[in-house]
């Protein structure tokens, strides 16, 4: 079984070690390769997937751009407007999004409740769209704030969630049940946080989908303030686990995927 990940650049992806561990643990013959693809070669890459691969993951910068090259989309991928997983069904390429359910799985595993809860998202990029969609579908009351307000306004309108301006942010922060950082702030920078510590919520949980470092400054400060915390590695593992099941029909050994991802992180 040939699998891989399409993106550019791709040198820091944990998906190959994680998916190879899942294939090995399931006793399946197969390989999962990096498929670095510059935008002008995306169409050709999709044809290669159609001919030779059982499926693939898709990452930055292609999650939206790949859609016109696929044959079908899941309802989820269509609503989110982004694909992170392709399944090859006998030459028919179906685009799906496992970031959305993967995020919810990570909350459930950590016992962070979201149904009927007020969940505040910082950021309005691709990951925020998937997370907002999943949370809303899961019964949460979702509010979105972003540095570039128009982008958050557009997300809020398209996905039917709430928009937070700068003026309404600090009150909403104090009263939310779950805060989720979906911005890139803190990625590979333990000194950076998307939020001043004095603006942290008064109760509940803080989730940072950044996974490198595993404990970001935001999470450190939230932990010091007595809040429950969750990093981005579980979401990464679960989006991969759900993709694996779609490709192979096998439930993966998630523990093996966690172990491989954690070991891989040390080498990044
Ligand atoms: P994206 O589409 O490029 O969006 C980036 C977001 O970060 C935008 O909202 C952007 O705001 C904001 N941002 C960037 N620099 C900022 C700054 N200095 N101050 C405030 N906001 C800033 O990226 P993405 O695909 O959504 O990914 C976002 C992060 O999530 C990345 O770190 C990625 O690695 C992580 N991620 C993790 C997982 C996982 O499985 N754990 C999955 C997907 C993504 P503007 O609109 O104002 O530019």
């Amino acid at each position: 079984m040939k699998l891989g990940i399409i993106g550019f650049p791709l040198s820091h992806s944990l998906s190959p070690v994680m998916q190879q561990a899942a294939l090995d643990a399931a006793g399946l013959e197969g390989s999962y390769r990096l498929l670095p693809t510059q935008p002008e070669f995306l169409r050709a890459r999709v044809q290669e997937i159609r001919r030779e691969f059982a499926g693939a993951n898709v990452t930055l910068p292609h999650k939206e751009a790949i859609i016109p090259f696929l044959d079908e989309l899941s309802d989820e991928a269509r609503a989110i407007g982004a694909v992170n997983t392709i399944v090859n069904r006998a030459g028919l390429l179906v685009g799906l999004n496992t970031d959305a359910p993967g995020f919810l799985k990570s909350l459930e595993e950590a016992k962070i409740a979201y149904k009927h809860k007020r969940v505040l998202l910082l950021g309005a990029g691709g990951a925020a769209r998937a997370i907002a969609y999943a949370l809303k579908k899961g019964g949460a009351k979702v509010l979105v704030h972003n540095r570039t307000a128009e982008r958050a306004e557009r997300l809020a309108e398209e996905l039917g969630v709430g928009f937070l301006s700068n003026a309404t942010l600090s009150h909403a922060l104090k009263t939310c049940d779950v805060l989720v950082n979906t911005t890139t702030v803190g990625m590979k920078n333990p000194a950076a946080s998307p939020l001043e510590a004095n603006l942290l919520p008064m109760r509940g949980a803080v989730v940072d989908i950044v996974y490198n470092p595993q404990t970001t400054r935001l999470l450190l400060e939230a932990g010091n303030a007595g809040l429950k915390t969750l990093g981005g590695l579980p979401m990464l593992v679960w989006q991969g686990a759900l993709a694996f099941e779609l490709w192979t029909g096998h439930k993966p050994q998630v523990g093996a995927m966690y172990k491989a991802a954690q070991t891989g992180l040390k080498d990044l």
Side-chain angles (χ1 to χ4, degrees):
M1 170 173 292
K2 264 172 91 168
L3 300 165
I5 180 165
I6 304 170
F8 197 84
L10 268 182
S11 50
H12 295 316
S13 176
L14 292 174
S15 293
V17 287
M18 215 164 66
Q19 296 293 353
Q20 196 63 54
L23 285 166
D24 295 346
L28 294 172
E29 286 274 326
S31 65
Y32 185 105
R33 294 199 285 124
L34 292 177
L35 303 168
T37 307
Q38 297 198 34
E40 59 270 37
F41 300 118
L42 186 57
R43 178 191 291 272
R45 182 67 86 190
V46 173
Q47 293 305 347
E48 186 188 356
I49 299 295
R50 197 188 299 280
R51 282 194 313 271
E52 299 175 24
F53 283 68
N57 281 128
V58 184
T59 189
L60 291 175
H62 300 317
K63 285 186 177 184
E64 291 162 36
I66 202 151
I67 289 176
F69 301 125
L70 303 176
D71 305 312
E72 274 181 21
L73 287 184
S74 68
D75 291 345
E76 219 155 45
R78 181 172 299 108
I80 294 164
V83 162
N84 82 325
T85 301
I86 301 172
V87 178
N88 189 348
R89 295 194 180 133
L92 187 96
L93 296 185
V94 185
L96 304 106
N97 190 305
T98 66
D99 282 333
F103 177 76
L104 293 191
K105 280 279 203 188
S106 77
L107 293 190
E108 287 157 13
E109 187 179 57
K111 300 202 172 11
I112 295 175
Y114 54 86
K115 199 170 180 186
H116 306 311
K117 301 290 181 189
R118 287 169 68 83
V119 185
L120 198 164
L121 305 188
L122 298 175
R129 288 185 71 88
I131 289 172
Y133 173 87
L135 284 168
K136 187 187 175 206
K137 210 170 157 208
K141 179 168 169 37
V142 183
L143 300 160
V144 182
H145 177 270
N146 191 45
R147 175 180 64 177
T148 309
E150 302 76 54
R151 206 171 173 194
E153 268 180 307
R154 202 174 337 120
L155 186 163
E157 200 181 306
E158 288 174 10
L159 296 181
V161 300
F163 162 71
L164 288 173
S165 63
N166 285 338
T168 52
L169 178 64
S170 66
H171 176 71
L173 276 166
K174 290 287 173 213
T175 55
C176 70
D177 302 298
V178 184
L179 170 69
V180 187
N181 175 39
T182 76
T183 76
T184 50
V185 180
M187 189 73 176
K188 294 185 206 146
N189 186 354
S193 172
L195 200 68
E196 307 261 343
N198 62 348
L199 291 175
L200 281 167
M202 290 188 296
R203 57 165 195 262
V206 175
V207 183
D208 197 337
I209 68 163
V210 166
Y211 53 84
N212 183 15
Q214 279 185 262
T215 306
T216 58
R217 176 168 169 190
L218 176 68
L219 293 186
L220 203 66
E221 290 177 345
N224 289 341
L227 299 166
K228 186 163 184 159
T229 60
L230 178 68
L233 199 70
M235 175 183 175
L236 185 79
V237 169
W238 278 106
Q239 64 73 33
L242 294 169
F244 181 89
E245 195 173 341
L246 287 165
W247 297 321
T248 66
H250 289 248
K251 286 235 181 273
Q253 290 191 23
V254 177
M257 297 180 83
Y258 261 111
K259 203 169 158 199
Q262 261 148 356
T263 308
L265 249 188
K266 287 187 204 127
D267 301 332
L268 285 190

